[in-house]
Amino acid sequence: MSTKERTDRIRQQDTKRQQNKRDRDAAHAERVGAEKTKITTYRGTRADLELMQQVGGFEERDEVITLAIRYMAGLARRDPAAFLAAMDPRNPA
């Protein structure tokens, strides 16, 4: 077997492996009801997200956003007044 044949074979294996991964990821996203949302953030918000990511030791910014939303939703269910106070744009926290 020559080097070229091996390279082509490896390339085909890599292509198949990557396609299988994309298929698994798509199936998982469908199972859990994933949906992409595009948001616009400004410099201060990005700095806040980066700080939260570093302090929490999270690899992805999406995880920080998801956990923050889930936490705030839980707060809204448990204590609506505390939720409203936390969401007040004039809150100095």
Side-chain angles (χ1 to χ4, degrees), residues 11-27:
R11 189 174 314 130
Q12 288 173 348
Q13 289 171 343
D14 290 344
T15 300
K16 182 164 177 48
R17 186 172 26 257
Q18 187 61 37
Q19 185 60 53
N20 288 341
K21 182 186 182 309
R22 282 193 293 267
D23 292 345
R24 283 191 312 275
D25 290 347

mmCIF file of all heavy atoms in Angstrom, residues 11-27:
data_model
loop_
_atom_site.group_PDB
_atom_site.id
_atom_site.type_symbol
_atom_site.label_atom_id
_atom_site.label_comp_id
_atom_site.label_asym_id
_atom_site.label_seq_id
_atom_site.Cartn_x
_atom_site.Cartn_y
_atom_site.Cartn_z
ATOM 1 N N ARG A 11 -8.281 9.859 5.041
ATOM 2 C CA ARG A 11 -9.149 11.008 4.800
ATOM 3 C C ARG A 11 -10.619 10.565 4.779
ATOM 4 O O ARG A 11 -11.489 11.226 5.342
ATOM 5 C CB ARG A 11 -8.777 11.693 3.494
ATOM 6 C CG ARG A 11 -9.492 13.012 3.295
ATOM 7 C CD ARG A 11 -9.024 13.761 2.073
ATOM 8 N NE ARG A 11 -7.579 13.779 1.994
ATOM 9 C CZ ARG A 11 -6.868 13.445 0.915
ATOM 10 N NH1 ARG A 11 -7.467 13.102 -0.200
ATOM 11 N NH2 ARG A 11 -5.558 13.472 0.928
ATOM 12 N N GLN A 12 -10.894 9.441 4.147
ATOM 13 C CA GLN A 12 -12.266 8.924 4.103
ATOM 14 C C GLN A 12 -12.749 8.532 5.506
ATOM 15 O O GLN A 12 -13.897 8.796 5.871
ATOM 16 C CB GLN A 12 -12.347 7.728 3.164
ATOM 17 C CG GLN A 12 -12.236 8.102 1.702
ATOM 18 C CD GLN A 12 -12.158 6.873 0.802
ATOM 19 O OE1 GLN A 12 -11.959 5.761 1.276
ATOM 20 N NE2 GLN A 12 -12.322 7.087 -0.492
ATOM 21 N N GLN A 13 -11.854 7.910 6.284
ATOM 22 C CA GLN A 13 -12.216 7.535 7.648
ATOM 23 C C GLN A 13 -12.505 8.785 8.493
ATOM 24 O O GLN A 13 -13.473 8.813 9.254
ATOM 25 C CB GLN A 13 -11.086 6.736 8.305
ATOM 26 C CG GLN A 13 -10.928 5.348 7.741
ATOM 27 C CD GLN A 13 -9.678 4.664 8.264
ATOM 28 O OE1 GLN A 13 -8.762 5.302 8.788
ATOM 29 N NE2 GLN A 13 -9.638 3.336 8.102
ATOM 30 N N ASP A 14 -11.655 9.801 8.328
ATOM 31 C CA ASP A 14 -11.853 11.050 9.065
ATOM 32 C C ASP A 14 -13.176 11.713 8.680
ATOM 33 O O ASP A 14 -13.907 12.204 9.539
ATOM 34 C CB ASP A 14 -10.703 12.028 8.810
ATOM 35 C CG ASP A 14 -9.400 11.581 9.442
ATOM 36 O OD1 ASP A 14 -9.436 10.691 10.313
ATOM 37 O OD2 ASP A 14 -8.346 12.130 9.071
ATOM 38 N N THR A 15 -13.480 11.703 7.383
ATOM 39 C CA THR A 15 -14.731 12.291 6.903
ATOM 40 C C THR A 15 -15.923 11.555 7.490
ATOM 41 O O THR A 15 -16.876 12.179 7.971
ATOM 42 C CB THR A 15 -14.784 12.255 5.359
ATOM 43 O OG1 THR A 15 -13.681 13.010 4.844
ATOM 44 C CG2 THR A 15 -16.076 12.832 4.839
ATOM 45 N N LYS A 16 -15.869 10.239 7.487
ATOM 46 C CA LYS A 16 -16.967 9.432 8.026
ATOM 47 C C LYS A 16 -17.102 9.652 9.529
ATOM 48 O O LYS A 16 -18.215 9.824 10.040
ATOM 49 C CB LYS A 16 -16.747 7.957 7.718
ATOM 50 C CG LYS A 16 -17.880 7.070 8.199
ATOM 51 C CD LYS A 16 -17.828 5.721 7.565
ATOM 52 C CE LYS A 16 -18.877 4.782 8.059
ATOM 53 N NZ LYS A 16 -20.219 5.299 8.113
ATOM 54 N N ARG A 17 -15.990 9.682 10.230
ATOM 55 C CA ARG A 17 -16.010 9.894 11.684
ATOM 56 C C ARG A 17 -16.613 11.270 12.014
ATOM 57 O O ARG A 17 -17.454 11.390 12.900
ATOM 58 C CB ARG A 17 -14.589 9.782 12.242
ATOM 59 C CG ARG A 17 -14.497 9.833 13.730
ATOM 60 C CD ARG A 17 -13.106 9.529 14.303
ATOM 61 N NE ARG A 17 -11.985 9.799 13.439
ATOM 62 C CZ ARG A 17 -11.287 8.871 12.761
ATOM 63 N NH1 ARG A 17 -11.616 7.589 12.850
ATOM 64 N NH2 ARG A 17 -10.256 9.202 12.016
ATOM 65 N N GLN A 18 -16.219 12.286 11.271
ATOM 66 C CA GLN A 18 -16.749 13.635 11.508
ATOM 67 C C GLN A 18 -18.240 13.706 11.192
ATOM 68 O O GLN A 18 -19.003 14.334 11.917
ATOM 69 C CB GLN A 18 -15.982 14.666 10.673
ATOM 70 C CG GLN A 18 -16.361 16.095 10.977
ATOM 71 C CD GLN A 18 -16.087 16.506 12.408
ATOM 72 O OE1 GLN A 18 -15.109 16.109 13.009
ATOM 73 N NE2 GLN A 18 -16.971 17.302 12.970
ATOM 74 N N GLN A 19 -18.659 13.054 10.124
ATOM 75 C CA GLN A 19 -20.081 13.039 9.778
ATOM 76 C C GLN A 19 -20.895 12.325 10.856
ATOM 77 O O GLN A 19 -21.977 12.769 11.227
ATOM 78 C CB GLN A 19 -20.313 12.374 8.417
ATOM 79 C CG GLN A 19 -21.758 12.444 7.953
ATOM 80 C CD GLN A 19 -22.257 13.870 7.814
ATOM 81 O OE1 GLN A 19 -21.632 14.679 7.148
ATOM 82 N NE2 GLN A 19 -23.372 14.179 8.447
ATOM 83 N N ASN A 20 -20.347 11.221 11.372
ATOM 84 C CA ASN A 20 -21.023 10.504 12.463
ATOM 85 C C ASN A 20 -21.176 11.400 13.691
ATOM 86 O O ASN A 20 -22.217 11.404 14.348
ATOM 87 C CB ASN A 20 -20.268 9.225 12.827
ATOM 88 C CG ASN A 20 -20.404 8.158 11.767
ATOM 89 O OD1 ASN A 20 -21.308 8.203 10.938
ATOM 90 N ND2 ASN A 20 -19.490 7.201 11.772
ATOM 91 N N LYS A 21 -20.118 12.186 13.993
ATOM 92 C CA LYS A 21 -20.184 13.110 15.125
ATOM 93 C C LYS A 21 -21.250 14.174 14.893
ATOM 94 O O LYS A 21 -22.032 14.487 15.793
ATOM 95 C CB LYS A 21 -18.836 13.773 15.366
ATOM 96 C CG LYS A 21 -18.834 14.719 16.559
ATOM 97 C CD LYS A 21 -17.533 15.462 16.671
ATOM 98 C CE LYS A 21 -17.496 16.382 17.873
ATOM 99 N NZ LYS A 21 -18.613 17.285 18.010
ATOM 100 N N ARG A 22 -21.293 14.737 13.693
ATOM 101 C CA ARG A 22 -22.315 15.748 13.381
ATOM 102 C C ARG A 22 -23.711 15.149 13.504
ATOM 103 O O ARG A 22 -24.624 15.792 14.019
ATOM 104 C CB ARG A 22 -22.095 16.324 11.986
ATOM 105 C CG ARG A 22 -20.977 17.345 11.934
ATOM 106 C CD ARG A 22 -21.000 18.103 10.624
ATOM 107 N NE ARG A 22 -20.686 17.268 9.485
ATOM 108 C CZ ARG A 22 -19.480 17.099 8.973
ATOM 109 N NH1 ARG A 22 -18.449 17.730 9.486
ATOM 110 N NH2 ARG A 22 -19.291 16.317 7.944
ATOM 111 N N ASP A 23 -23.871 13.917 13.043
ATOM 112 C CA ASP A 23 -25.173 13.241 13.142
ATOM 113 C C ASP A 23 -25.574 13.023 14.604
ATOM 114 O O ASP A 23 -26.723 13.242 14.978
ATOM 115 C CB ASP A 23 -25.153 11.908 12.400
ATOM 116 C CG ASP A 23 -25.032 12.063 10.891
ATOM 117 O OD1 ASP A 23 -25.247 13.188 10.381
ATOM 118 O OD2 ASP A 23 -24.707 11.059 10.223
ATOM 119 N N ARG A 24 -24.612 12.586 15.440
ATOM 120 C CA ARG A 24 -24.896 12.390 16.866
ATOM 121 C C ARG A 24 -25.258 13.714 17.538
ATOM 122 O O ARG A 24 -26.205 13.788 18.325
ATOM 123 C CB ARG A 24 -23.686 11.772 17.589
ATOM 124 C CG ARG A 24 -23.493 10.299 17.352
ATOM 125 C CD ARG A 24 -22.456 9.705 18.309
ATOM 126 N NE ARG A 24 -21.220 10.463 18.421
ATOM 127 C CZ ARG A 24 -20.175 10.348 17.597
ATOM 128 N NH1 ARG A 24 -20.210 9.489 16.600
ATOM 129 N NH2 ARG A 24 -19.093 11.066 17.783
ATOM 130 N N ASP A 25 -24.499 14.764 17.225
ATOM 131 C CA ASP A 25 -24.774 16.076 17.807
ATOM 132 C C ASP A 25 -26.154 16.576 17.391
ATOM 133 O O ASP A 25 -26.902 17.123 18.215
ATOM 134 C CB ASP A 25 -23.707 17.097 17.386
ATOM 135 C CG ASP A 25 -22.345 16.828 18.021
ATOM 136 O OD1 ASP A 25 -22.276 16.017 18.974
ATOM 137 O OD2 ASP A 25 -21.357 17.434 17.569
ATOM 138 N N ALA A 26 -26.516 16.406 16.134
ATOM 139 C CA ALA A 26 -27.830 16.841 15.647
ATOM 140 C C ALA A 26 -28.946 16.043 16.318
ATOM 141 O O ALA A 26 -29.972 16.611 16.706
ATOM 142 C CB ALA A 26 -27.913 16.698 14.128
ATOM 143 N N ALA A 27 -28.741 14.736 16.480
ATOM 144 C CA ALA A 27 -29.750 13.902 17.126
ATOM 145 C C ALA A 27 -29.924 14.313 18.587
ATOM 146 O O ALA A 27 -31.048 14.401 19.094
ATOM 147 C CB ALA A 27 -29.365 12.423 17.034
#
